[in-house]
């Protein structure tokens, strides 16, 4: 009998961290992309004035008690259109690392659909209990920057659900 309860306790301990979701395809009008989201995201798009002109960042974010999943895009400001995509990606990557206030865990050059240049970063995040991490992918497709990001407990930043989210991003 003790063995049976020990087995049940072990199963409960293993599944306690599992995050059950109802994944759904999300593709906003005008976004020219699709992605699997673990719930319905909120539109947090906004326009800000910059030295390069007004920039509208289209941000779609889903947050629950487990973490945050977000996807965003912005069209390249005219002032940066002469820059190579790799230069723009590197500046955006460096800005994301600086804004996180955390420690860089990993960075890599990646490609979307074996065509579009990108960067992936993994960074600790200084929020909550301090055991959060951000996994962030940036892609340049023509003159549009896409960002796919998850902020989760650090031990889940490479989980199957996070991989599913990151790998589901497709441009149309």
């Amino acid at each position: 009998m003790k063995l049976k309860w020990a087995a049940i306790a072990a199963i409960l301990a293993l599944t306690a961290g599992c995050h059950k979701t109802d994944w759904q395809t999300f593709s906003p009008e005008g976004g020219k992309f699709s992605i699997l989201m673990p719930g319905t995201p909120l539109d947090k798009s906004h326009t800000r004035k910059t030295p390069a002109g007004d920039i509208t960042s289209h941000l779609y974010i889903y947050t629950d008690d487990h973490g945050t999943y977000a996807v965003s895009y912005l069209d390249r400001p005219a002032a940066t259109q002469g820059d190579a995509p790799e230069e723009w990606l590197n500046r955006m990557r460096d800005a994301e690392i600086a804004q996180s206030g955390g420690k860089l865990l990993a960075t890599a050059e990646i490609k979307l659909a074996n065509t579009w240049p990108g960067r992936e970063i993994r960074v600790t995040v200084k929020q909550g209990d301090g055991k959060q991490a951000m996994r962030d992918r940036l892609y340049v497709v023509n003159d549009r920057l896409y960002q796919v990001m998850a902020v989760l407990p650090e031990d889940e930043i490479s989980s199957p659900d996070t991989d599913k989210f990151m790998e589901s991003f497709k441009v149309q």
Side-chain angles (χ1 to χ4, degrees):
M1 189 65 159
K2 285 184 181 180
L3 185 58
K4 179 180 173 184
W5 287 111
I8 290 171
I11 291 169
L12 288 173
L14 287 172
T15 60
C18 290
H19 183 52
K20 303 291 182 201
T21 58
D22 294 322
W23 291 89
Q24 53 193 280
T25 300
F26 176 71
S27 183
E29 189 169 329
K32 300 180 185 174
F33 72 89
S34 65
I35 192 165
L36 284 175
M37 295 289 278
T40 303
L42 297 175
D43 183 344
K44 298 286 187 172
S45 299
H46 61 280
T47 300
R48 61 188 161 115
K49 294 190 180 304
T50 73
D54 289 354
I55 297 176
T56 300
S57 177
H58 302 271
L59 172 63
Y60 306 95
I61 188 166
Y62 173 80
T63 301
D64 62 16
D65 58 354
H66 185 71
T68 299
Y69 295 85
V71 61
S72 69
Y73 70 91
L74 60 88
D75 291 320
R76 185 176 236 193
T80 66
Q81 288 183 0
D83 298 344
E86 290 79 11
E87 291 174 20
W88 195 30
L89 280 168
N90 289 339
R91 278 197 311 276
M92 297 304 290
R93 176 203 57 207
D94 295 346
E96 285 296 308
I97 293 168
Q99 282 182 314
S100 75
K103 180 181 105 181
L104 180 65
L105 300 172
T107 185
E109 291 186 12
I110 57 176
K111 286 204 178 256
L112 177 64
N114 291 319
T115 303
W116 307 107
R119 301 291 183 269
E120 179 171 329
I121 59 172
R122 296 174 191 216
V123 182
T124 61
V125 178
K126 293 189 177 193
Q127 70 180 37
D129 60 9
K131 296 186 185 339
Q132 299 287 308
M134 174 179 69
R135 185 168 168 190
D136 192 359
R137 287 186 178 177
L138 302 161
Y139 301 105
V140 172
V141 177
N142 298 319
D143 281 332
R144 182 169 279 185
L145 176 77
Y146 289 99
Q147 180 178 20
V148 180
M149 179 179 60
V151 178
L152 299 161
E154 193 171 342
D155 62 347
E156 294 181 36
I157 207 65
S158 296
S159 72
D161 275 354
T162 309
D163 290 343
K164 174 192 239 179
F165 172 69
M166 293 289 175
E167 297 298 326
S168 72
F169 180 77
K170 308 282 187 264
V171 291
Q172 301 164 346

